[in-house]
Amino acid sequence: MDKLKVMTVFGTRPEAIKMAPLVKELEDRPEFESYCCVTAQHRQMLDTVLNIFRIRPQFDLDIMEKSQTLSTITSKCLLGLEEVFRQVRPDLVLVHGDTSTTFAGALAAFYQQIAVGHVEAGLRTWDKYSPFPEEMNRSMVGRLADLHFCPTSANRRNLEAEGISKGLFVTGNTVIDALQTTVVDWFTFDEEVLNCLDYEKKKVILVTCHRRENYGRPMEDIMSALAYIARVHPEAELVYPVHLSPVVQECAHRHLDGIENVHLIAPLDVEEMHNLMARSYLVMTDSGGLQEEAPALGKPVLVLRKETERPEAVEAGTVKLAGVDYGRIVELADRLLDDPAAYQKMAHAVNPYGDGNACGRIADGILYHFGRTDRPPEAFQS
Ligand code: UD1
Ligand code: UDP
C-alpha cells in the first residue's frame, strides 16, 4: 500500500515546539511519507526550535517582516502554500493551534481540496476578540478541518457544541510530549545570568507577555505591576525573556530597565525555557503554552489575561486568572510571595493537558481516518 503523504505546516515558535515531536513521530513511522513546510512567520524564534529538535523543513516560505500585519502574514502564507501544495499534493495537511499561519494553512489546503488535520483543536473562549485574532483563527480552522485532534475532552465538547461530530480524537497536548524530552536535573544555561541565580534562596518569577489583545493599556498596567512587585520583594528575581515584537520590546524596557532584581533577557531556546521553568518559584504569563507546561512541572501560574481557553488547570487549582488590572495582579503576586500556605495550595504537579503520548495518538488517528487500521486510538483521559 502507498505511504500516506502528510505535510506539517507551521510558522511561529509555539507551533514549532508543539509540532516538533509530531514531525519526529511521522518520520519514524513507515506508513507515512512526511513533509514539513515552515512559513517562518517567526524567523529567529522559529529557527532556534528547528535547531534544537533537528528538523530540516523541505520548504521555507521565509515570510517574516518587521512589524508585520495580520493581512500581510495571511496573504503571503496563502500564496506561498498554494505553490507548495501544488508541487507535493499531500494526502493530508496538518496545522496547529490558532495563529495566522494556522488559518492560512488550512484555507490554502481547502482551496486545493486537500484534507486538513487540526492539532490542538477545540480551544475556545467564545469571545471573538479575545484572544485576538486567535479565537477566530481556531474557530475557522475548526470549520475547514476534517480531523480534529483535541488535547482534552472539554475541547472535544466545545467542537460538538458547534455541530462538529466527525473526525474527533482526544489525544492530550503534544507540548507535554515535548516537555518530557527537555527537562533534566543537570542543565547548564547558555544565558549566563540564569546560572548565577540562587534558585534555593531567591524566589525566581518567570515572566512572559506578548499577546496582541494586551497591547496598549493592559500591557502598560502589567509592566507597572511587575515593576512594583520587583521593588517591594527584594527576595524575588524576575526573569523575563522578552518577545522580539517591537511593541513588546519597547513597553518592557521602558517600564523595567534599571530595576536590580529584574532580568530582561533575549527569548530563550525551548530547552533553556523549560529548565528555567522547572527551577522557578512562580510563573506570570499571558502565553498559552506556559499555562500548559507550568502545571506539569508543579509551578503556580498567574495568567495575565482576562480569560483563558485552558480552564483545566484553573479547575485543578494550579493556575489563577489574574486579569490585566494592576491592583489585582499585585495582590495575587503578593499573596503567593508572602503566604506559604497560599503558595503550597497551588504548587502541585497536575497533568490535565497530556501524558506524553499525544503524537502517537495523532498518528494512529490519521491511519484510522484513512482506513489503514480498524482501531481508533484510545482517548487521553486527564
Ligand atoms: C504570533 C501569533 C500568536 C502567538 C505568538 C507566539 C498570530 C496572529 N499571532 O504573535 O498567536 O501567540 O506568535 O509567540 O499569528 N519577531 C521577530 N523575530 C521573530 C519573531 C517575531 O523579529 O523570530 C517580531 C517581528 O517584528 C514581527 C513581530 O515580532 O513582525 C510580531 O510577530 P507576529 O508573528 O506578527 O506576532 P506575535 O505577537 O509573535
Ligand atoms: N518559550 C520559549 N522561549 C521563550 C518564551 C517561550 O521557548 O523565551 C516557549 C514556551 O516554553 C512555550 C512556547 O514557547 O512552549 C510558548 O510560546 P509563546 O508564549 O510565544 O506563544 P503562545 O503559547 O502564547 O501562543
PDB file of all heavy atoms in Angstrom, residues 90 188 193 224 296 325 374:
ATOM      1  N   PRO A  90      -0.064  16.637  -1.010  1.00  0.00           N
ATOM      2  CA  PRO A  90      -0.166  15.743   0.151  1.00  0.00           C
ATOM      3  C   PRO A  90      -1.572  15.164   0.294  1.00  0.00           C
ATOM      4  O   PRO A  90      -2.542  15.743  -0.210  1.00  0.00           O
ATOM      5  CB  PRO A  90       0.161  16.654   1.340  1.00  0.00           C
ATOM      6  CG  PRO A  90      -0.022  18.046   0.864  1.00  0.00           C
ATOM      7  CD  PRO A  90       0.120  18.047  -0.626  1.00  0.00           C
ATOM      8  N   THR A 188      22.804  23.165  32.264  1.00  0.00           N
ATOM      9  CA  THR A 188      23.591  24.408  32.342  1.00  0.00           C
ATOM     10  C   THR A 188      23.063  25.347  31.266  1.00  0.00           C
ATOM     11  O   THR A 188      22.902  24.943  30.109  1.00  0.00           O
ATOM     12  CB  THR A 188      25.090  24.139  32.061  1.00  0.00           C
ATOM     13  OG1 THR A 188      25.500  23.089  32.917  1.00  0.00           O
ATOM     14  CG2 THR A 188      25.923  25.382  32.331  1.00  0.00           C
ATOM     15  N   VAL A 193      23.293  34.750  33.076  1.00  0.00           N
ATOM     16  CA  VAL A 193      22.597  35.260  34.259  1.00  0.00           C
ATOM     17  C   VAL A 193      21.767  34.147  34.919  1.00  0.00           C
ATOM     18  O   VAL A 193      21.616  34.118  36.153  1.00  0.00           O
ATOM     19  CB  VAL A 193      21.726  36.493  33.890  1.00  0.00           C
ATOM     20  CG1 VAL A 193      20.525  36.116  33.044  1.00  0.00           C
ATOM     21  CG2 VAL A 193      21.233  37.220  35.128  1.00  0.00           C
ATOM     22  N   SER A 224       3.723  47.853  34.788  1.00  0.00           N
ATOM     23  CA  SER A 224       3.806  48.643  36.039  1.00  0.00           C
ATOM     24  C   SER A 224       3.684  47.724  37.245  1.00  0.00           C
ATOM     25  O   SER A 224       4.395  47.902  38.245  1.00  0.00           O
ATOM     26  CB  SER A 224       2.663  49.656  36.149  1.00  0.00           C
ATOM     27  OG  SER A 224       2.633  50.474  35.055  1.00  0.00           O
ATOM     28  N   ALA A 296       2.371  21.021  34.725  1.00  0.00           N
ATOM     29  CA  ALA A 296       3.008  19.703  34.677  1.00  0.00           C
ATOM     30  C   ALA A 296       4.287  19.699  35.520  1.00  0.00           C
ATOM     31  O   ALA A 296       4.718  18.652  35.999  1.00  0.00           O
ATOM     32  CB  ALA A 296       3.326  19.334  33.229  1.00  0.00           C
ATOM     33  N   ASP A 325      -5.541  43.896  35.403  1.00  0.00           N
ATOM     34  CA  ASP A 325      -5.705  45.049  36.281  1.00  0.00           C
ATOM     35  C   ASP A 325      -4.522  45.126  37.264  1.00  0.00           C
ATOM     36  O   ASP A 325      -4.204  44.130  37.939  1.00  0.00           O
ATOM     37  CB  ASP A 325      -7.039  44.896  37.029  1.00  0.00           C
ATOM     38  CG  ASP A 325      -7.222  45.966  38.059  1.00  0.00           C
ATOM     39  OD1 ASP A 325      -7.379  47.123  37.658  1.00  0.00           O
ATOM     40  OD2 ASP A 325      -7.175  45.640  39.271  1.00  0.00           O
ATOM     41  N   ASP A 374      -8.267  -0.574  11.686  1.00  0.00           N
ATOM     42  CA  ASP A 374      -9.688  -0.623  12.087  1.00  0.00           C
ATOM     43  C   ASP A 374      -9.919   0.023  13.444  1.00  0.00           C
ATOM     44  O   ASP A 374     -11.055   0.275  13.829  1.00  0.00           O
ATOM     45  CB  ASP A 374     -10.154  -2.089  12.219  1.00  0.00           C
ATOM     46  CG  ASP A 374     -10.086  -2.782  10.883  1.00  0.00           C
ATOM     47  OD1 ASP A 374     -10.128  -2.068   9.871  1.00  0.00           O
ATOM     48  OD2 ASP A 374      -9.970  -4.018  10.873  1.00  0.00           O
TER      49      ASP A 374
END
